[in-house]
Amino acid sequence: MSASGLILAGVDGDRTWGLQDYVARGGYSALRKVISEKIPPETIIAELKASSLRGRGGAGFPTGLKWSFMPRSFPGAKYLACNSDEGEPGTFKDRDILRYNPHTVIEGMTIAAYAMGCERGYNYIHGEIFDVYERFEAALAEAREAGLLGQNILGSDFSFELFAHHGYGAYICGEETALLESIEGKKGQPRFKPPFPASYGLYGKPTTINNTETFASVPFIINMGGEGFLNLGKPNNGGTKLFSVSGHVNRPGNYEVAMGTPFSELLEMAGGMRGGRKLKAVIPGGSSAPVLPGSVMMDCTMDYDSISKAGSMLGSGAVIVMDETTCMVKALERLSYFYFEESCGQCTPCREGTGWLYRVVHRIENGLGRKDDLDLLNSVTGNIMGRTICALGDAASMPVQSFVKHFGSEFEYHIENKKCLVPPEVQYEGSQIYVRP
Amino acid sequence: MLEIEIDGKQVTVEDGSTIMDAATKIGAFVPHFCYHKKLSIAASCRMCLVQVEKAPKPLPACATPVTNGMKVWTRSEQAVKAQKGVMEFLLINHPLDCPICDQGGECQLQDLAVGYGGSQSRYEEEKRVVLNKNLGPLVSTDMTRCINCTRCVRFTTEIAGQMELGQAFRGEHAEIMPFVEKTVDSELSGNIIDLCPVGALTSKPFRFSARTWELARRRSVSPHDSLGSNLIVQVKHDVVKRVLPFENEDINECWLSDKDRFSYEGLNSEDRLTVPMLKQDGVWKETDWQTALEFAGNGLRKTAKQNGPDSIGALASPHSTIEELYLLQKLTRAIGSDSVDFRLRQSDFRADGFREGAPWLGIPINEVAGLNRLLVIGSFLRKDSPLLAQRVRQAAKRGLHVSAIGASAEEWLLPVKNRVLVAPSAIVPALLQVVAALAAEKGVAVAEHLAAAMPASVSDDARAIAQSLASGRKVAVWLGNLAVQCEYATEIQQLAEEIARLTEGAFGVIGEAANSVGGYLAKAVPLVGGLNAKQMLEQPRKAYLLLNAEPALDFANPALAQSVLGAAPLVVALSAFKSESLLAAADVLLPIAPFTETSGTFVNCEGRAQNFNAVARPLGDTRPGWKVLRVLGNLLEFEGFEHNDSEAVAAEALAAGSRPDLGNRLFGLEFNFAAQTVAGLERVSDVPIYAADPLVRRAKSLQKTRDAKGPVASASAATLAAIGVESGGRVRLKQGQASVEVPIVADESVAANCVRVAAATAATSVLGAMCGEISVERV
Amino acid sequence: MLSQESLQQIDREIAKYPPDQKQSAVMAALRIAQVEKGWLPKELIEFVASYLQMPAIAAYEVASFYNMYDLEPVGRHKITVCTNLPCALSGGVHAADYLKEKLGIDFNETTPDGKFTLKEGECMGACGDAPVLLVNNHHMCSWMTKEKIDQILAELADK
């Protein structure tokens, strides 16, 4: 783990996740402040808005605005959900937050519940990280024990029950309404919107869902004020952000940096290119974000606006770095297989189209590509994008379109020559088991 | 109200409407597969994508709410491009095996592919293959054709009330299936065939027997339960090949029960009686109509002459048409006898002579949706009236509170808020408690004739029912088949009337059969001192006219019916089928047409007369029942049998003023309830869903369903323990002299101290009355 | 059908949700059942469904939708290797190949002694730790090397 910034500041691997250490780092001071000063919910939401905190799960929706959608005077139960179903290839930040600093998520969620009047919350934790789920359960027990969670928090009349819900292997549950379905004990098939969760969410009740990192940022915003948080980053891109750097770098890991940090700096923090090889391509925001050529990336700063201008998305902040040994057709084949496997099966274009995309890319990779395959890929992705209930269809299409757009000649070479531009032995070397220095 | 413009046309729709609703209103067709007006919205097939002003991408018409001033284009370039794109995806893994697909010619996918599909596929990869599932004897599967619209899944969950199908696995591997190795056992299962927009779910009995375009489509009315579902009967060369629903929002909506849909298989059973038959010296011989009718006419004339007209009785099935019932009673009365009845399974007739009119449901069927409190007394609601139960189920989702009092608590697949589960003899005491609690709740005095019967104390369950009913705005109380058939039917009806009075609600009778109301209207009941169905057997007649009834299966007391009819010097039976008990009892068999081969009328539970025409020519020498009765009248030289067609009979039968009105109240009848103390166990009888009438009993696919294979006898575990038998063990059931050995199973839905014994089944046809004391011994 | 301990665990999960939302515990209940029995035969799914008062097919939908549930028997130790792109860039595929070679089986196969089943996994949310393995669904092994794989297999073989 590599850490600086706010959320991961001062944590020390597996040793300092507990309540005592968190409190020693200033933890729960924000919640105490909210409760003791009886800060009005509107003020909290106003601070969130001022902080310019944008959803860290990938969509980048302004958090304060989202919170303000919750019906204030709704008579029945209202729910809060934390999306820790981190399964987008390249993303692994929430796992570190939860295992090294779980209490910041608990504190953030409790403040959110206070601000929105939620009586109950669930943290939906990715299936493959059972140990993290268990640790979060332990953290919840600590918080309850200390009166920081449960009935009459810190002696006030504010109560909030928070539980962990463990996923069991479905990428789609990272989609917020699929996540709600999953908590309800169903298949994770996204719901058509409207109605949006703020009016019809978990068990049909108003619900707000935020990403782990989003909630983890909340205590810091309360402590330093919205503007203080904003000023850490750049306008419209407030605060720090965790970037998960993976692929061909020397030190893969999480790096919490201010929004707007140049990509080149981030790359350097991650130890630079592995073996000193040349940067070929970067997927800057998780596997569903369009891939960008390395040269384009080197001119970008790491914030929503800059990456968007370059034609991709900051997404969840998952930076997949590929060097010159990478075959782009093979890389796309693997990603397409992923979306094919993870499509929930509900909407026709995604259920049928993701398999089609994978099979065509697979064919090209295996020397059976046809001349009009690239047109076919563009056409099929065009028929998937924007035609499905959730964004998985788009997520499956954007890599295909961007790989073909930026590395079209490599695809054409495959089709014409039935082999790769990058010699097999070079590819083999470049994908060797990476042994950390 | 919201203003919306669709394809340039202005339309005003209600708040909460979708684009699909608005498009339907102006008659614009938006292609779709998963959308169905009666099911929840899935929005997943994506076929109904349309262009909406200011929306960056096409939106599904089925799920997108209308906003004021919205502009929608259903056939713009953007919309059609999206629709065609979806169609291509639907077809890439579809087998396109239309030439061998039963759905061919009536397939939504095929139809829409003509307009939206390409002429050649761009998909050249291997197609998906999905293994077929065994859903039971009614629904056939070809799952490779499935487009995962999930209509069938939503149907079982939302309409049938039990999720029997699901979409398992995910993505391209998603499959519609029941739970591993389970079948779909709902009594409404056939509707998933209609709902399936492709050939994935088709009718097993119909499979490969005809193409849709070869079939003549004719309207008819179901002859089974009291709802009177509207049918489209499909016929090829005078053989009924298939039955589909004819949509009638007031009655069956777009659904059919499996009984309505698949009973047609019985029409061509080997049991069909196709030529008149005479029994001579104990031997049955085929004969011609002239001989048979003369034998019958002469026999009746002779009996009337020798023993008086009162020695003749007529017994008819309530599944007979108005025309048949009317002419039967007219003939009987012309002979000079008032002994005619169609209520073969009833045992309490004390209310006759005090009735306001023909007992009916008390409210129109389409008002069930508006009820907010309902008390159902002595009913096997779900199996006796599947689509009425379905309406109750939908109403319950909108806040209807259902209470039940009865001797069985079998699963209705809808929430029953309060329930009293007692032996038949304890239903009246339970109702008295409800009345007492209700009067207290309302602060109103009970009716004078009931005052003396009020109980000293009220159970919590009875009070809960009273409280539920007292808080209702729109209340109904219904009597089910058990309530009507049991020995306490009169008191139950009196108390239902009182509950309705106290709650300002409606009360009525669900009704057993297609003409349970019609039989009263046709006056097929004793009116001036004649004998009722029970008396006609208790006081044996010399001659009987038997219409559409089988002695062993259609009577309240089959042992008695068989012995009395068997011993009678003359039994003239009009029937579409022969059966062992009929052959044993009858002396002459007159083959009459089942509902598909005659015109006729059924009056359903809400009092709606629905007439229908023959959809096929009568089989063999079969003749319509009304014609046979008319000719008998002519033969006996009675006046008033000059009808040229069945319409004339129906017009005469249902002429206002000459027939009774609908009405459930009882006038001038004292309340004299004396609970008979039952020392041992009490018999509770249901008529299993596929055993209720001669036609359905011969429908072979229905006879293979789980519902047809239900247990003969069941009782609670405690009762079984008291008898000393384990679930699955064998017992001897005894009623008086009659006894039979059957297996018995544990079933906690049976009231304490009761044994549920299926009526109308071969195994129990040697037994006596459907209710009353029964002894059970371990074998 | 399940041990008292498993049932208690399931009850604890049920308690996390509103009283009328027992079905919410189905994922946890299936997980707990699978841990005890090794995989999910249909009788077990049916049992869990009835325990939670939900339709059996609804539980089957869940069991077949989430890919960590095993609807077929697996070896005593199920090893899942992530081969998705970020892992593949750091040797995920090579690690899988090494496992195949060591165990003498392909993906979705079980060793003849019934000890190991090998599965190809999708993103586990641990790309920075590549190559990663998941042992028996609940134990993640990071930064795999051939030596570490040898070590893990040796340890598991004795369990």
Side-chain angles (χ1 to χ4, degrees):
Chain A
M1 189 202 50
S2 326
S4 56
L6 297 172
I7 297 167
L8 296 183
V11 302
D12 181 13
D14 282 315
R15 287 183 304 143
T16 59
W17 64 271
L19 179 61
Q20 252 188 330
D21 291 304
Y22 182 59
V23 170
R25 293 195 297 274
Y28 287 111
S29 57
L31 180 63
R32 284 179 197 283
K33 182 174 161 187
V34 165
I35 302 253
S36 65
E37 295 176 17
K38 297 199 170 87
I39 300 179
E42 311 80 72
T43 310
I44 296 174
I45 293 176
E47 286 301 319
L48 260 290
K49 284 182 176 168
S51 75
S52 211
L53 175 66
R54 291 168 64 168
R56 301 301 197 217
F61 193 82
T63 307
L65 189 59
K66 192 183 229 181
W67 289 15
S68 70
F69 291 154
M70 280 288 265
R72 200 63 67 77
S73 53
F74 184 80
K78 282 185 276 186
Y79 292 102
L80 194 64
C82 175
N83 187 345
S84 303
D85 189 35
E86 184 179 52
E88 166 109 345
T91 316
F92 49 91
K93 64 189 178 64
D94 298 336
R95 170 174 175 245
D96 276 2
I97 296 171
L98 289 174
R99 59 180 176 164
Y100 299 143
N101 207 2
H103 282 286
T104 179
V105 179
I106 296 171
E107 187 182 6
M109 285 190 78
T110 309
I111 293 168
Y114 174 92
M116 289 179 275
C118 301
E119 58 178 44
R120 204 182 257 261
Y122 293 95
N123 185 10
Y124 191 103
I125 297 173
H126 191 53
E128 283 83 351
I129 52 173
F130 187 72
D131 45 351
V132 175
Y133 164 76
E134 286 189 311
R135 180 169 292 177
F136 192 75
E137 287 273 37
L140 286 174
E142 282 186 327
R144 286 189 197 112
E145 179 76 11
L148 297 159
L149 197 59
Q151 293 301 303
N152 303 102
I153 291 173
L154 294 169
S156 71
D157 57 2
F158 167 59
S159 300
F160 175 59
E161 300 288 354
L162 177 59
F163 303 96
H165 184 102
H166 185 223
Y168 227 58
Y171 166 67
I172 190 60
C173 290
E175 198 280 345
E176 60 180 14
T177 56
L179 180 146
L180 297 180
E181 289 282 300
S182 187
I183 297 179
E184 290 183 6
K186 302 174 190 157
K187 291 177 291 179
Q189 290 192 323
R191 300 174 183 170
F192 180 79
K193 289 153 278 190
F196 290 93
S199 58
Y200 190 94
L202 185 62
Y203 309 127
K205 300 289 190 289
T207 303
T208 290
I209 305 125
N210 281 122
N211 169 256
T212 320
E213 187 183 352
T214 312
F215 281 125
S217 304
V218 170
F220 300 97
I221 293 170
I222 299 301
N223 280 332
M224 65 177 65
E227 207 163 297
F229 186 82
L230 172 66
N231 291 338
L232 292 174
K234 60 189 239 190
N236 196 35
N237 295 272
T240 60
K241 169 92 193 79
L242 266 75
F243 290 100
S244 305
V245 185
S246 65
H248 290 137
V249 294
N250 279 316
R251 282 196 300 273
N254 282 311
Y255 298 91
E256 187 178 3
V257 297
M259 282 286 207
T261 302
F263 169 73
S264 54
E265 259 178 53
L266 183 66
L267 186 58
E268 216 162 289
M269 290 170 85
M273 294 305 292
R274 194 178 297 168
R277 290 192 293 259
K278 196 172 158 236
L279 177 65
K280 181 173 186 177
V282 177
I283 304 178
S287 63
S288 19
V291 67
L292 292 174
S295 56
V296 175
M297 258 329 271
M298 290 306 276
D299 294 334
C300 287
T301 56
M302 298 307 289
D303 56 81
Y304 295 101
D305 297 340
S306 169
I307 301 288
S308 167
K309 229 167 92 188
S312 186
M313 306 184 308
L314 191 70
S316 55
V319 182
I320 305 171
V321 178
M322 290 171 270
D323 68 22
E324 58 197 350
T325 67
T326 314
C327 165
M328 298 311 278
V329 180
K330 193 172 201 154
L332 178 62
E333 181 200 18
R334 187 61 188 84
L335 290 182
S336 292
Y337 182 76
F338 170 72
Y339 291 105
F340 164 52
E341 271 299 300
E342 298 293 344
S343 167
C344 84
Q346 190 176 204
C347 300
T348 306
C350 176
R351 179 183 66 242
E352 307 293 340
T354 50
W356 195 356
L357 292 179
Y358 163 67
R359 289 187 178 95
V360 173
V361 178
H362 177 75
R363 207 170 60 199
I364 298 172
E365 165 64 15
N366 286 283
L368 297 167
R370 296 171 201 149
K371 248 181 89 183
D372 46 7
D373 273 350
L374 299 187
D375 290 340
L376 182 64
L377 287 175
N378 277 323
S379 165
V380 173
T381 52
N383 281 340
I384 299 174
M385 285 187 77
R387 309 274 169 83
T388 51
I389 286 177
C390 81
L392 193 137
D394 291 21
S397 300
M398 285 187 290
V400 176
Q401 290 184 347
S402 62
F403 271 70
V404 171
K405 179 179 166 195
H406 293 296
F407 301 95
S409 58
E410 219 169 303
F411 283 78
E412 280 158 10
Y413 187 90
H414 265 259
I415 292 169
E416 273 165 33
N417 302 288
K418 318 224 173 293
K419 61 177 186 184
C420 187
L421 260 175
V422 184
E425 61 279 8
V426 174
Q427 285 186 47
Y428 187 85
E429 254 329 287
S431 61
Q432 274 298 347
I433 293 177
Y434 180 58
V435 184
R436 300 199 146 216
Chain B
M1 299 301 273
L2 303 166
E3 287 279 340
I4 173 173
E5 187 192 304
I6 299 184
D7 296 336
K9 284 185 206 155
Q10 295 291 331
V11 57
T12 308
V13 293
E14 277 174 44
D15 290 12
S17 297
T18 61
I19 294 175
M20 187 69 91
D21 297 332
T24 307
K25 202 167 172 187
I26 60 157
F29 177 74
V30 183
H32 59 269
F33 294 104
C34 69
Y35 168 77
H36 189 277
K37 62 185 174 186
K38 294 282 181 187
L39 302 174
S40 65
I41 291 166
S44 61
C45 79
R46 316 306 285 175
M47 192 64 207
C48 70
L49 291 172
V50 294
Q51 184 177 350
V52 178
E53 188 181 46
K54 291 184 199 128
K57 52 189 187 180
L59 298 174
C62 69
T64 306
V66 168
T67 54
N68 209 19
M70 192 181 239
K71 275 188 179 172
V72 174
W73 297 271
T74 67
R75 287 188 299 267
S76 65
E77 197 187 327
Q78 190 206 54
V80 171
K81 186 170 183 286
Q83 292 158 4
K84 287 189 167 176
V86 171
M87 178 53 78
E88 180 178 39
F89 287 128
L90 284 170
L91 292 178
I92 62 170
N93 273 308
H94 190 77
L96 301 174
D97 58 345
C98 309
I100 55 154
C101 175
D102 249 9
Q103 195 85 351
E106 52 183 358
C107 174
Q108 239 173 305
L109 186 66
Q110 198 179 34
D111 293 348
L112 289 179
V114 173
Y116 299 89
S119 54
Q120 220 178 344
S121 178
R122 298 194 290 171
Y123 185 77
E124 294 172 27
E125 323 303 319
E126 206 167 308
K127 287 199 181 211
R128 171 176 62 221
V129 173
V130 184
L131 288 181
N132 289 337
K133 314 291 182 290
N134 175 20
L135 302 188
L138 304 177
V139 183
S140 181
T141 65
D142 287 277
M143 297 316 289
T144 301
R145 298 177 187 146
C146 174
I147 58 168
N148 281 283
C149 72
T150 71
R151 278 184 181 182
C152 55
V153 175
R154 285 174 284 147
F155 176 84
T156 63
T157 311
E158 297 163 14
I159 307 295
Q162 186 167 32
M163 187 181 186
E164 289 194 290
L165 287 170
Q167 186 193 36
F169 304 97
R170 71 185 188 208
E172 203 185 86
H173 312 294
E175 284 185 37
I176 301 296
M177 60 189 291
F179 187 71
V180 195
E181 287 160 32
K182 287 269 193 300
T183 50
V184 173
D185 299 326
S186 165
E187 66 285 350
L188 299 175
S189 71
N191 293 296
I192 62 178
I193 299 165
D194 297 343
L195 287 171
C196 182
V198 297
L201 305 176
T202 52
S203 164
K204 211 173 245 184
F206 175 67
R207 197 165 166 80
F208 302 140
S209 67
R211 282 301 198 178
T212 176
W213 55 84
E214 302 173 311
L215 299 168
R217 300 161 63 85
R218 297 185 178 129
R219 281 192 61 182
S220 191
V221 176
S222 168
H224 301 293
D225 65 36
S226 65
L227 198 81
S229 289
N230 290 195
L231 312 176
I232 296 172
V233 181
Q234 299 191 318
V235 182
K236 182 181 168 186
H237 304 318
D238 278 313
V239 177
V240 174
K241 291 287 179 187
R242 186 164 65 167
V243 170
L244 297 174
F246 181 84
E247 190 168 339
N248 185 336
E249 200 52 32
D250 289 337
I251 298 177
N252 52 302
E253 303 167 69
C254 54
W255 314 123
L256 279 187
S257 68
D258 288 353
K259 181 150 78 171
D260 295 337
R261 183 186 299 269
F262 295 109
S263 70
Y264 73 88
E265 280 195 296
L267 293 169
N268 301 312
S269 93
E270 288 172 6
D271 283 354
R272 264 304 287 275
L273 185 62
T274 55
V275 282
M277 294 178 80
L278 266 181
K279 186 153 63 180
Q280 282 171 332
D281 304 324
V283 180
W284 280 102
K285 292 216 169 88
E286 294 189 349
T287 184
D288 57 69
W289 271 105
Q290 185 72 20
T291 312
L293 284 168
E294 274 173 14
F295 178 89
N298 290 339
L300 291 168
R301 190 184 283 137
K302 217 168 94 186
T303 308
K305 208 169 168 189
Q306 288 177 355
N307 303 292
D310 284 346
S311 69
I312 296 172
L315 295 160
S317 156
H319 298 277
S320 310
T321 64
I322 285 284
E323 292 78 356
E324 290 165 345
L325 292 166
Y326 180 75
L327 288 181
L328 178 72
Q329 64 82 31
K330 193 169 183 181
L331 182 73
T332 312
R333 292 197 162 103
I335 291 168
S337 170
D338 190 47
S339 299
V340 57
D341 210 339
F342 73 101
R343 301 163 298 179
L344 307 186
R345 290 203 181 103
Q346 292 185 25
S347 49
D348 175 7
F349 297 87
R350 287 171 293 151
D352 281 3
F354 301 95
R355 296 183 191 279
E356 176 190 21
W360 68 298
L361 191 62
I363 55 166
I365 293 165
N366 69 11
E367 284 183 15
V368 172
L371 293 175
N372 77 340
R373 295 292 183 273
L374 174 66
L375 171 62
V376 183
I377 304 166
S379 177
F380 303 94
L381 181 65
R382 183 174 141 221
K383 300 296 179 185
D384 284 350
S385 201
L387 288 176
L388 191 64
Q390 186 274 135
R391 287 210 185 236
V392 174
R393 188 174 298 131
Q394 303 314 321
K397 285 184 201 161
R398 290 186 295 265
L400 168 65
H401 288 190
V402 180
S403 300
I405 297 177
S408 162
E410 86 283 3
E411 183 58 62
W412 289 349
L413 302 177
L414 56 89
V416 174
K417 294 248 176 196
N418 309 289
R419 185 190 290 282
V420 172
L421 178 61
V422 288
S425 65
I427 290 177
V428 171
L431 285 169
L432 284 167
Q433 293 183 15
V434 173
V435 168
L438 196 52
E441 204 62 48
K442 288 274 185 183
V444 181
V446 294
E448 218 171 286
H449 66 294
L450 297 173
M454 283 302 106
S457 65
V458 171
S459 75
D460 290 346
D461 291 338
R463 182 169 292 109
I465 291 176
Q467 282 167 346
S468 167
L469 296 173
S471 63
R473 279 177 292 100
K474 202 148 187 333
V475 180
V477 181
W478 286 345
L479 309 188
N481 294 355
L482 184 137
V484 172
Q485 288 161 352
C486 80
E487 303 154 87
Y488 311 97
T490 303
E491 284 87 0
I492 292 174
Q493 191 167 343
Q494 286 176 300
L495 293 171
E497 179 178 347
E498 178 64 0
I499 291 169
R501 185 185 73 83
L502 290 168
T503 56
E504 291 164 40
F507 83 109
V509 168
I510 292 169
E512 178 190 339
N515 249 338
S516 287
V517 175
Y520 281 97
L521 300 187
K523 294 187 288 238
V525 288
L527 295 172
V528 286
L531 305 184
N532 59 47
K534 189 182 184 191
Q535 291 164 331
M536 275 186 256
L537 296 177
E538 285 172 350
Q539 303 165 36
R541 305 288 94 191
K542 296 290 179 197
Y544 291 92
L545 277 156
L546 204 56
L547 176 61
N548 289 321
E550 297 182 59
L553 301 170
D554 289 319
F555 288 82
N557 187 332
L560 183 65
Q562 289 174 96
S563 75
V564 169
L565 293 170
L570 177 66
V571 173
V572 177
L574 290 78
S575 173
F577 302 98
K578 35 183 198 264
S579 68
E580 219 175 293
S581 71
L582 200 56
L583 290 169
D587 297 286
V588 54
L589 286 171
L590 304 176
I592 62 166
F595 81 108
T596 46
E597 298 165 22
T598 178
S599 51
T601 308
F602 292 124
V603 178
N604 75 355
C605 59
E606 62 177 1
R608 183 191 296 239
Q610 303 190 95
N611 63 322
F612 52 89
N613 290 317
V615 300
R617 264 201 303 265
L619 189 65
D621 287 346
T622 299
R623 295 287 176 268
W626 70 268
K627 275 191 188 168
V628 174
L629 289 160
R630 191 203 62 192
V631 173
L632 264 176
N634 300 147
L635 209 71
L636 294 167
E637 296 171 336
F638 295 137
E639 281 181 22
F641 287 85
E642 291 85 26
H643 314 86
N644 281 327
D645 46 39
S646 67
E647 282 88 341
V649 183
E652 185 179 320
L654 299 175
S658 71
R659 60 153 173 86
D661 286 327
L662 302 177
N664 293 316
R665 285 185 297 171
L666 300 176
F667 291 124
L669 184 62
E670 291 297 300
F671 185 83
N672 309 310
F673 175 68
Q676 289 171 15
T677 40
V678 179
L681 297 170
E682 266 183 71
R683 175 170 170 182
V684 172
S685 286
D686 62 312
V687 175
I689 182 167
Y690 302 135
D693 62 75
L695 177 60
V696 72
R697 287 196 285 263
R698 291 172 171 82
K700 59 179 192 295
S701 299
L702 287 173
Q703 295 307 324
K704 292 179 197 152
T705 60
R706 277 177 76 95
D707 270 335
K709 294 176 185 154
V712 172
S714 52
S716 69
T719 305
L720 290 189
I723 301 165
V725 66
E726 286 191 6
S727 184
R730 290 185 76 80
V731 289
R732 175 160 294 281
L733 304 175
K734 266 189 177 166
Q735 283 179 290
Q737 297 301 309
S739 83
V740 68
E741 202 183 299
V742 295
I744 192 165
V745 296
D747 180 352
E748 295 315 303
S749 74
V750 181
N753 297 318
C754 290
V755 181
R756 178 168 161 170
V757 180
T761 45
T764 60
S765 63
V766 299
L767 290 176
M770 286 170 70
C771 42
E773 200 172 330
I774 187 166
S775 84
V776 185
E777 293 161 11
R778 185 164 60 127
V779 179
Chain C
M1 182 150 268
L2 283 175
S3 68
Q4 215 44 46
E5 200 189 327
S6 290
L7 292 178
Q8 280 167 6
Q9 282 183 44
I10 293 173
D11 290 343
R12 277 200 293 277
E13 293 293 332
I14 293 171
K16 289 180 177 178
Y17 307 95
D20 57 342
Q21 301 291 347
K22 272 186 161 184
Q23 182 173 339
S24 281
V26 68
M27 290 182 69
L30 289 171
R31 172 196 8 112
I32 292 160
Q34 178 166 292
V35 167
E36 182 180 324
K37 301 288 184 187
W39 64 292
L40 294 174
K42 73 177 171 93
E43 295 77 14
L44 192 54
I45 297 173
E46 217 169 359
F47 172 83
V48 166
S50 74
Y51 195 77
L52 298 174
Q53 295 160 327
M54 63 188 284
I57 179 63
Y60 191 81
E61 279 190 339
V62 169
S64 63
F65 187 90
Y66 300 92
N67 59 15
M68 288 163 71
Y69 297 114
D70 292 306
L71 300 178
E72 302 288 336
V74 291
R76 195 156 5 118
H77 304 294
K78 182 175 86 168
I79 298 178
T80 314
V81 196
C82 178
T83 58
N84 209 314
L85 179 61
C87 275
L89 296 173
S90 289
V93 176
H94 288 268
D97 287 343
Y98 185 68
L99 274 161
K100 288 179 191 170
E101 185 194 315
K102 281 281 287 189
L103 297 172
I105 53 173
D106 212 330
F107 285 137
N108 300 316
E109 289 179 357
T110 300
T111 52
D113 61 4
K115 275 187 183 159
F116 294 100
T117 297
L118 192 61
K119 294 261 178 189
E120 183 172 29
E122 287 304 343
C123 185
M124 299 172 183
C127 323
D129 296 4
V132 287
L133 314 179
L134 200 57
V135 176
N136 294 328
N137 294 326
H138 292 175
H139 179 59
M140 190 179 281
C141 306
S142 299
W143 301 303
M144 286 296 98
T145 58
K146 289 181 179 176
E147 295 70 32
K148 282 184 184 161
I149 289 172
D150 289 343
Q151 199 185 328
I152 287 168
L153 291 183
E155 280 169 21
L156 290 175
D158 298 335
K159 277 190 201 162

